[in-house]
Amino acid sequence: MRLFHTSDWHLGQTLHGQERDFEHACFLDWLLGQLKLRQPDALLIAGDIFDTVNPPVKAQERLYDFIVQAHEQQPKLNIVMIAGNHDSGSRIELPAPLMRRLRTHALGRVQWLDDGELDSERLLIPLTNAKGKVAAWCLALPFLRPAEVTGAHLGDDYLRGIAQVHEKLIAAALQRRKAGQALIAVSHAHMAGGSISEDSERSLIIGNAEALPARLFAPEISYVALGHLHKPQKVNREARIRYSGSPIPLSFSEIGYPHQILEIELDGAQLASVESRLVPRAVHLQRLGPAPLAQVLEQLAELPVVDLLDDPQRQPWLEIRVRLDEPLPDLRAQLEGALQGKAVRLVRIAAEYAGNGRSEDDSSADLLELGQLTPNELFSRAWEQAYGNAVDEQSLADFALLLQDVQQEQEQP
């Protein structure tokens, strides 16, 4: 059996106010081509399909057009997609009855039966091969919010609630599968030891909860398709537990590594191989600096000029980092003047200051934008400004619960 593993599409994302629909369209066209070329039996999309809980209409159209085209091109293809922490679980599931006619399964949240047992049936999805036989079972594990895994039947321990979901679903899968059938988990979570990317990954830590241990995935599971971390990586160096990473760089901090999907081959219940398929970069992200202004202006002068025959949508996004001794009121005007006629699109200017007798190497700081700070970081900074001391763990936990309530209200479609 052959599977494709991808995640963290973040459809509808903007880069410092600039739409990225063209880049997402290029990726989805490329993915359709790979599906046609490699003919996998299933496509696994491990969460953060959209960038926000209320994505723009164009982003939703991109997703549904892709699903229809993939089904028309390959009628036997199984598609499984789960909600991530950026997604609204209810929105992901809203068109589920219609999508099932396209062999697409959309799981946004876990549910519990009246007797307190996990509704495992809806989270276990049979994956068929080219002959139409069930070759594997997919354990769909959307991002688990505290309200879904704590309460009267489960207790108040968030991590314990997550562990119970895994234990119950794996037990149900082991009962359901037959000899030779593989178990495949699709999950959106921050696993312990995972390497994060700056700027574009929203923290999953709730209160003082920590990243999840890999032991949640029993050895009987042949492959774990993870989403959330944008950098491709194995978890604990295990070949069977992997993040595919995002298909495009979602911030300038992500330009230093390749972006990909993963192709997984299974021989019965055994993992045979995992291969990377690199996604062509439709638009490059280019970062200049940090450097003194004079040096930055020299680098800008060397940039290529606009070619009228080139597609302007493919011009690189540009971030400039300038090192200054003091604020410079006409900084933007100087930089924009130097960029006249250049084949780049400026999206961000960041200034770094190295004054007050401090060492530039260890204490110069970027001018942070609000979008670069997590809600927890903003709350911690506001607390410290108001009270003059660091926020305590209990207040952080209370804030996390309040934030959770607000996010759930935003998720209602």
Side-chain angles (χ1 to χ4, degrees):
M1 189 176 206
R2 178 176 295 161
L3 312 171
F4 274 6
H5 167 198
T6 179
S7 73
D8 296 278
W9 292 2
H10 287 267
L11 300 177
Q13 192 229 14
T14 60
L15 183 68
H16 301 291
Q18 302 300 312
E19 283 192 6
R20 310 194 70 190
D21 180 66
F22 172 74
E23 292 161 88
H24 281 123
C26 290
F27 162 64
L28 293 175
D29 286 345
W30 174 85
L31 182 55
L32 281 171
Q34 291 298 302
L35 290 170
K36 185 175 183 179
L37 176 66
R38 301 299 299 166
Q39 293 289 306
D41 300 296
L43 170 66
L44 310 177
I45 311 171
D48 280 358
I49 297 162
F50 298 117
D51 191 57
T52 63
V53 295
N54 291 309
V57 172
K58 186 184 293 185
Q60 298 177 63
E61 290 175 347
R62 284 284 177 216
L63 174 65
Y64 303 132
D65 285 347
F66 167 80
I67 290 172
V68 170
Q69 290 180 67
H71 179 73
E72 290 175 345
Q73 173 180 281
Q74 197 174 339
K76 294 183 179 180
L77 176 70
N78 303 278
I79 300 178
V80 179
M81 63 181 192
I82 61 171
N85 60 302
H86 279 250
D87 298 310
S88 161
S90 55
R91 184 180 296 278
I92 292 296
E93 289 192 354
L94 190 62
L98 178 60
M99 286 196 288
R100 280 196 290 270
R101 296 177 178 268
L102 304 175
R103 298 181 67 86
T104 298
H105 305 268
L107 283 303
R109 58 184 66 234
V110 300
Q111 295 179 3
W112 301 86
L113 304 175
D114 292 339
D115 60 0
E117 283 300 309
L118 178 70
D119 187 355
S120 302
E121 191 72 22
R122 66 189 297 274
L123 302 175
L124 283 177
I125 301 165
L127 300 180
T128 53
N129 59 20
K131 298 179 180 179
K133 295 182 178 180
V134 177
W137 289 90
C138 180
L139 292 71
L141 287 158
F143 172 60
L144 300 173
R145 304 185 187 279
E148 299 171 29
V149 297
T150 58
H153 297 293
L154 300 165
D156 297 325
D157 188 328
Y158 177 53
L159 287 182
R160 179 56 191 153
I162 290 176
Q164 288 188 64
V165 170
H166 285 73
E167 292 164 5
K168 292 177 182 294
L169 186 56
I170 291 171
L174 290 172
Q175 287 187 335
R176 179 67 66 87
R177 79 161 176 182
K178 297 179 180 179
Q181 293 178 340
L183 296 184
I184 307 297
V186 184
S187 174
H188 192 90
H190 184 176
M191 306 304 295
S195 175
I196 68 171
S197 301
E198 300 173 1
D199 301 341
S200 56
E201 290 172 352
R202 184 184 300 164
S203 174
L204 298 186
I205 303 301
I206 303 295
N208 58 359
E210 298 298 331
L212 305 182
R215 65 175 178 273
L216 287 175
F217 297 105
E220 291 88 352
I221 297 178
S222 303
Y223 184 79
V224 181
L226 292 170
H228 177 57
L229 300 186
H230 298 169
K231 184 176 182 178
Q233 58 195 286
K234 302 175 187 176
V235 174
N236 292 348
R237 299 183 180 179
E238 285 198 56
R240 71 183 184 104
I241 306 179
R242 296 185 186 235
Y243 288 97
S244 62
S246 58
I248 68 171
L250 295 165
S251 73
F252 286 93
S253 67
E254 298 182 14
I255 60 180
Y257 50 79
H259 294 260
Q260 62 175 25
I261 65 169
L262 292 173
E263 181 178 313
I264 298 93
E265 293 279 355
L266 296 164
D267 183 3
Q270 300 298 315
L271 178 63
S273 66
V274 180
E275 292 188 11
S276 169
R277 306 224 163 265
L278 299 182
V279 180
R281 196 164 290 185
V283 178
H284 289 274
L285 273 65
Q286 191 169 348
R287 173 182 267 176
L288 292 183
L293 178 59
Q295 184 177 333
V296 167
L297 292 174
E298 289 177 2
Q299 293 174 333
L300 295 180
E302 295 173 358
L303 292 175
V305 298
V306 172
D307 185 336
L308 296 179
L309 298 179
D310 289 342
D311 184 350
Q313 293 187 100
R314 293 188 179 274
Q315 289 180 357
W317 301 117
L318 177 65
E319 178 188 77
I320 302 175
R321 295 187 170 215
V322 185
R323 188 175 294 132
L324 300 172
D325 294 323
E326 58 184 7
L328 192 62
D330 66 341
L331 174 62
R332 174 172 287 275
Q334 289 195 51
L335 296 175
E336 289 179 344
L339 285 170
Q340 287 294 322
K342 299 297 184 179
V344 294
R345 291 174 286 177
L346 177 64
V347 294
R348 183 168 184 257
I349 298 171
E352 296 185 357
Y353 298 96
N356 301 325
R358 297 177 298 177
S359 167
E360 182 175 334
D361 291 337
D362 58 15
S363 58
S364 62
D366 290 340
L367 291 178
L368 291 175
E369 300 174 356
L370 287 179
Q372 293 178 265
L373 299 175
T374 67
N376 277 1
E377 288 169 338
L378 284 170
F379 176 73
S380 297
R381 288 178 178 224
W383 180 286
E384 190 164 349
Q385 287 179 0
Y387 300 108
N389 59 290
V391 62
D392 59 276
E393 286 293 329
Q394 184 57 53
S395 296
L396 267 179
D398 292 341
F399 171 75
L401 292 175
L402 178 61
L403 177 63
Q404 184 65 42
D405 291 340
V406 172
Q407 288 174 336
Q408 286 177 340
E409 289 179 6
Q410 290 178 331
E411 284 188 8
Q412 300 306 317

